[in-house]
């Protein structure tokens, strides 16, 4: 009977493929941005002089569309400055790997200091690669009240100091508000040029969100410890870090700085993130310093013994809640800090995860000591993949909410809705329009009959 169901399922898929045309996007895939509104300036591929002219002369509301190409701004040795509000710089193709803006090198003093300076509100960078500046790839000048900055589906590579720097001026008390970094990749090809570097460094900002983003190799060379992949400090308020992945980073997320003072960070949530380090020098996955009312919820942190503990919170003014995290080491209070700890699991079994050695920290069905073992939290309604919590009788501990591989939309059932999703993405590969990684069950980069068979195996569950 089960074999007949599977044959019927394949037949259903053929029919669906013939009559279906909708596109479905997975939660971790950057949906394409809508067409630009307002004036558009088109820049030919690789034409640096026209790019610089378009940026310097941009009127409010302008979209600068870059054709695919390599823009070597390092040959000019100076930065581009955005003073007009509501300016967008994006690729025409939507392929972030096809439009590369490169400085003169992260170790070249006297070359490109910073690629872009942002002094105005509502500036967006989308679908681009920025790489190799001596100081920063982008500096958002919070002292000029550059609110609502957005970095969308960008690849950020090899910055000499901070990849994205949100600066402040003590004479300007207003905070830089409502920035968003999403669907991005921050990485060093190998490691930083020195210790003073971060992926996203936020000073005196309010309600910034970093989500659905990967941080890789934010680390120093041998014996050199860098700063956090994310650092929010100097009076920052309400930062949210969610659904991010941190691989081989010296630090993961820092709310507040150990050298700061009372109120270095206030509020904020760190939830549904993966942290993984294997065999490299480093420090903790998450640290909160002079941080009031922090929340650390449903993270999975595996450091493989590269540091004596995994999460810490420091100083007597630090208070918060740490709930339902998975760690492979202790959660440590330091220097008089206090927090409420709920349901954390601090020793792990490699067999709980899809690929423990390789850093795939999604759960497997046999991880019964984690599945359905958490109580609902009002602040956690999804998991690292954007799947709704709970799937089952209660939420799972850690960043991932387990479901059957064939349950593509993670609604707790494998049925015709999942079949429709696979139909929309069938015979598409990573990078193709309509490719949905949720349908690529075996993760080989293509949605094909192997994935269909996996769905068939789980059909009716």
């Amino acid at each position: 009977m089960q074999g007949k169901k599977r044959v019927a399922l394949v037949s259903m898929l053929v029919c669906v493929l013939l009559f279906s045309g909708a596109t479905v996007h997975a939660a971790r895939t950057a949906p394409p941005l809508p067409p630009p509104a307002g004036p558009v300036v088109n820049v030919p591929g690789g034409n640096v002089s026209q790019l610089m002219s378009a940026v310097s002369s941009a009127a409010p509301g302008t979209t600068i569309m870059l054709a695919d190409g390599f823009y070597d701004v390092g040959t000019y040795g100076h930065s581009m400055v955005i003073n007009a509000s509501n300016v967008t710089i994006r690729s025409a193709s939507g392929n972030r790997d096809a439009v590369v803006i490169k400085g003169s090198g992260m170790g070249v003093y006297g070359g490109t200091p910073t690629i872009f300076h942002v002094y105005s509100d509502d500036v967006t960078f989308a679908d681009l690669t920025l790489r190799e500046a001596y100081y920063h790839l982008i500096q958002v000048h919070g002292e000029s009240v550059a609110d609502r900055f957005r970095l969308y589906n960008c690849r950020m590579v090899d910055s000499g100091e901070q990849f994205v720097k949100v600066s402040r001026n003590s004479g300007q008390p207003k905070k830089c508000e409502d920035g968003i970094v999403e669907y991005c990749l921050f990485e060093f090809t190998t490691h930083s040029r020195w210790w003073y570097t971060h992926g996203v460094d936020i000073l005196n900002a309010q309600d910034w969100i970093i989500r659905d983003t990967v941080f890789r190799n934010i680390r120093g060379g041998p014996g050199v410890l860098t700063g956090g992949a994310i650092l929010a400090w100097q009076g920052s308020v309400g930062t949210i870090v969610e659904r991010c992945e941190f691989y081989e980073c010296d630090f993961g997320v820092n709310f507040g700085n150990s050298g700061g003072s009372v109120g270095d960070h206030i509020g904020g949530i760190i939830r549904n993130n993966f942290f993984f380090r294997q065999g490299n020098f480093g420090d903790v996955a998450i640290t909160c310093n002079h941080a009031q009312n922090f929340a650390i919820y449903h993270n999975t942190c595996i450091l493989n013994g590269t540091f004596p503990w995994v999460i810490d919170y420091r100083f007597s003014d630090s208070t918060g809640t740490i709930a339902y995290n998975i760690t492979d080491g202790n959660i440590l209070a330091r220097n008089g800090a206090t927090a409420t700890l709920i349901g954390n699991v601090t020793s792990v079994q490699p067999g709980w995860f899809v690929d423990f050695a390789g850093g795939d920290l999604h759960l497997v069905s046999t991880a019964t000591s984690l599945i359905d073992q958490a109580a609902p939290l009002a602040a956690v309604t999804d998991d690292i993949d954007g799947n709704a919590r709970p799937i089952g009788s209660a939420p799972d501990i850690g960043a991932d909410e387990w479901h059957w591989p064939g349950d593509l939309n993670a609604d707790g059932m494998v049925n015709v809705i999942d079949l429709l999703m696979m139909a929309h993405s069938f015979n598409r590969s990573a990078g193709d329009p309509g490719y949905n990684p949720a349908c690529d069950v075996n993760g080989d980069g293509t949605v094909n009959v192997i994935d269909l068979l996996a769905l068939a195996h789980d059909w009716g569950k």
Side-chain angles (χ1 to χ4, degrees), residues 64-371:
I64 300 171
M65 298 286 280
L66 305 184
D68 289 355
F70 182 77
Y71 297 79
D72 188 2
V73 302
T75 59
Y76 288 75
H78 60 265
S79 304
M80 289 176 278
V81 178
I82 302 174
N83 287 309
S85 62
N86 194 25
V87 169
T88 296
I89 301 176
R90 58 187 283 193
S91 68
S93 66
N95 181 358
R96 73 184 183 190
D97 296 319
V99 174
V100 179
I101 303 174
K102 177 185 175 298
S104 50
M106 69 176 183
V108 181
Y109 182 76
T112 309
T114 293
I115 295 180
F116 287 101
H117 289 277
V118 176
Y119 286 93
S120 53
D121 292 341
D122 301 295
V123 171
T124 295
F125 294 86
D127 306 324
L128 309 166
T129 292
L130 302 180
R131 60 183 306 145
E132 298 179 54
Y134 185 76
Y135 290 118
H136 317 305
L137 301 180
I138 300 174
Q139 183 170 351
V140 181
H141 289 266
E143 68 273 14
S144 295
V145 199
D147 292 340
R148 296 176 299 280
F149 170 83
R150 188 183 191 193
L151 189 71
Y152 186 86
N153 191 35
C154 289
R155 185 180 178 211
M156 314 290 278
V157 185
D158 289 345
S159 187
E161 292 188 356
Q162 282 59 258
F163 289 66
V164 174
K165 173 82 169 186
V166 182
S167 55
R168 69 167 299 183
N169 185 323
S170 58
Q172 170 54 272
K174 187 181 183 303
K175 298 183 185 300
C176 184
E177 298 178 2
D178 301 315
I180 298 177
V181 175
E182 55 188 341
Y183 301 109
C184 293
L185 169 63
F186 290 70
E187 62 179 340
F188 282 113
T189 304
T190 55
H191 55 75
S192 67
R193 65 177 171 88
W194 68 320
W195 66 269
Y196 184 56
T197 191
H198 307 86
V200 180
D201 183 14
I202 302 170
L203 287 71
N204 192 41
Q206 182 166 335
D207 298 331
W208 271 61
I209 301 172
I210 302 98
R211 63 190 176 201
D212 299 300
T213 290
V214 176
F215 296 84
R216 183 178 291 119
N217 299 334
I218 311 301
R219 62 185 182 186
V224 176
L225 187 69
T226 67
I230 298 173
L231 170 62
W233 62 311
Q234 291 203 16
S236 290
V237 176
T239 311
I240 295 175
V241 179
E242 61 182 352
R243 301 191 303 270
C244 293
E245 300 173 41
F246 301 81
Y247 298 105
E248 305 303 334
C249 297
D250 283 351
F251 282 92
V253 180
N254 299 25
F255 277 4
N257 194 338
S258 60
S261 57
V262 174
D264 211 35
H265 194 279
I266 299 173
I269 301 175
I270 304 166
R271 63 188 171 200
N272 292 330
N273 303 287
F274 282 165
F275 301 82
F276 183 81
R277 189 168 67 229
Q278 186 174 54
N280 293 305
F281 173 78
D283 208 287
V284 293
I286 300 171
T287 183
C288 292
N289 304 275
H290 302 292
Q292 300 171 10
N293 300 322
F294 60 81
I296 303 173
Y297 296 153
H298 282 277
N299 300 281
T300 301
C301 310
I302 305 298
L303 300 186
N304 286 293
T306 57
F307 196 73
W309 58 90
V310 178
I311 296 173
D312 68 15
Y313 46 109
R314 301 184 64 186
F315 308 108
S316 59
D317 54 308
S318 291
T319 59
T321 304
I322 304 174
Y324 302 119
N325 300 279
I326 302 171
T327 70
D328 65 342
N330 289 335
I331 299 171
L332 191 63
R334 303 176 64 191
N335 308 100
T338 58
T340 300
L341 275 61
I342 304 170
N344 302 288
V345 174
T346 58
S347 61
V348 302
Q349 298 178 21
W352 289 343
F353 307 100
V354 170
D355 183 4
F356 182 82
D360 186 344
L361 304 180
H362 290 87
L363 301 180
V364 298
S365 61
T366 54
T368 54
S369 58
L370 304 174
I371 295 171

